[in-house]
Amino acid sequence: MAATADGDLHVYMLNVGQGDTTVIVSPQGNVMVVDAVRPDKLQALLDDLGLDGTIEHLVITHPHDDHFRGGNRLALDRNIQQATVAPFWHTAGMGPPTYRRLIAHLSAQTANVTFLSGYSRWYPDGSTVPVAGTGNHEIDPDAPFIELLGASTGMVRNLQDANVFNPNHLSIMGRITWRQRFRMIIAADAQMENWAAFDEARLLEDDCQVLRSAHHGSANGTQWERIDRLAPREVIVSSEPDGRHHLPDLTGSAIFAKFDSDDGKMAVLTHASGTVHLRVTAGGTRRYEHFGDTKNERVDLANPTAFDRNANPTDWPALLDQRVDEL
């Protein structure tokens, strides 16, 4: 729990190169970490946020090391109360040894480890309020909650039968909702098949204000039709364009350049901005700041730079031109 809960929702999207780490601090100061890489940087941020050493919920979206390789340190150094992880599949192996070790560390010290297939929901600040004069309780419609959507056994089996399955298909996607005034989707490394499966289950019909883009802006995770349907106002892309995977690729760069050119919309690349901090008030107002840190640098919370679409630190046309030149 953070020592400085202020009644707002905070989302920190770390610049970790090509990889994902998101830290969510609820209005009452409860903490969820979604994916964990660059452990020194992550641990320093958690310390600077004034945590008491406890992480209420850790989510590891899938067994690729650019999403979990800081998890072992986190599990050893922090009190993790609840963990949700992508499941092992007997026909697909049990993930690399470091992932299996992470599960063992979590199981040894965590009261509740869930291998998610399907749907779950977590209320970081509690889900109920008392009904006056009755002694009963009801669901609090104003309580923030986070939905987690995991790959189903049927989807995995169909992909395996078609010989197209890969660990990205295990990605747990998340959606944050607060008072129906704010929705944000964290897409991890979701592929086209993940989006299609969740559409079929009618789990992603609502639009969102913010999208943490899928698979670092690749063509397989980011389609214009998907962004157009979800209708976010801001998209955050976590990647390092000159890294070994060269993401966002040409298709992703074109999509984000087009999106960013629309009135009132903004796409931000963490490589250009450094860590991004989104602050959301109870009324749904969103404010952004960034810190300009490189992937290896500590986040200096004392020196933020406020920005909006009129001062977006990302130059998408330049990246698109670079991708065209690389053809």
Side-chain angles (χ1 to χ4, degrees):
M1 177 177 287
T4 55
D6 57 13
D8 290 341
L9 176 69
H10 297 264
V11 184
Y12 294 87
M13 293 158 274
L14 275 66
N15 176 22
V16 292
Q18 190 200 293
D20 272 321
T21 296
T22 304
V23 176
I24 302 164
V25 182
S26 76
Q28 294 183 23
N30 293 298
V31 176
M32 171 183 271
V33 175
V34 181
D35 288 330
V37 296
R38 301 202 176 273
D40 290 341
K41 181 168 190 166
L42 173 56
Q43 297 264 38
L45 176 66
L46 296 175
D47 288 338
D48 291 344
L49 289 174
L51 294 185
D52 62 4
T54 296
I55 294 171
E56 278 73 21
H57 200 153
L58 171 66
V59 177
I60 299 297
T61 60
H62 65 293
H64 271 157
D65 70 351
D66 62 338
H67 289 255
F68 76 82
R69 64 175 171 256
N72 278 289
R73 280 270 306 278
L74 204 65
L76 291 171
D77 295 346
R78 302 278 170 168
N79 173 27
I80 299 172
Q81 294 186 343
Q82 180 174 347
T84 300
V85 299
F88 299 142
W89 299 91
H90 69 283
T91 54
M94 296 180 67
T98 48
Y99 186 73
R100 299 198 298 271
R101 193 177 308 127
L102 169 60
I103 303 303
H105 287 151
L106 291 170
S107 298
Q109 72 110 331
T110 303
N112 184 6
V113 179
T114 299
F115 295 85
L116 182 64
S117 174
Y119 175 90
S120 71
R121 179 183 291 205
W122 183 60
Y123 288 84
D125 297 336
S127 61
T128 63
V129 291
V131 179
T134 68
N136 296 322
H137 287 74
E138 64 183 5
I139 293 293
D140 181 2
D142 291 334
F145 59 90
I146 300 163
E147 297 166 287
L148 299 173
L149 313 175
S152 69
T153 54
M155 185 189 108
V156 172
R157 173 62 71 188
N158 289 338
L159 292 170
Q160 289 176 328
D161 289 346
N163 293 317
V164 295
F165 173 79
N166 70 71
N168 287 330
H169 289 119
L170 297 177
S171 288
I172 296 171
M173 302 168 69
R175 179 169 60 185
I176 309 167
T177 300
W178 192 18
R179 295 188 170 186
Q180 300 301 317
R181 297 174 183 147
F182 173 73
R183 276 187 294 271
M184 175 179 179
I185 290 174
I186 300 174
D189 277 3
Q191 303 290 284
M192 293 183 292
E193 295 87 353
N194 295 88
W195 290 111
F198 293 131
D199 280 341
E200 184 177 357
R202 307 185 72 173
L203 291 174
L204 289 171
E205 291 187 336
D206 293 329
D207 60 8
C208 65
Q209 286 73 49
V210 185
L211 172 64
R212 188 105 151 91
S213 74
H215 198 214
H216 318 290
S218 78
N220 284 340
T222 302
Q223 303 90 42
W224 178 260
E225 180 269 349
R226 167 58 51 194
I227 293 178
D228 189 51
R229 285 179 56 191
L230 289 174
R233 308 303 293 175
E234 298 96 36
V235 174
I236 312 299
V237 185
S238 180
S239 195
E240 181 180 17
D242 295 325
R244 64 190 180 96
H245 294 291
H246 292 271
L247 297 175
D249 53 24
L250 174 61
T251 299
S253 298
I255 287 171
F256 297 128
K258 173 175 169 36
F259 177 87
D260 190 67
S261 68
D262 288 349
D263 288 341
K265 296 180 180 178
M266 175 176 70
V268 182
L269 179 64
T270 55
H271 176 74
S273 65
T275 292
V276 174
H277 172 212
L278 166 61
R279 181 174 189 153
V280 185
T281 68
T285 301
R286 305 185 301 283
R287 297 185 180 90
Y288 287 92
E289 57 188 17
H290 71 99
F291 299 93
D293 48 296
T294 68
K295 64 183 180 182
N296 295 313
E297 290 179 332
R298 183 174 183 146
V299 181
D300 184 1
L301 294 178
N303 289 292
T305 300
F307 73 100
D308 56 23
R309 68 159 282 100
N310 296 316
N312 184 355
T314 306
D315 187 346
W316 288 107
L319 179 58
L320 180 57
D321 288 343
Q322 176 184 331
R323 291 293 183 249
V324 171
D325 290 341
E326 291 168 350
L327 290 175

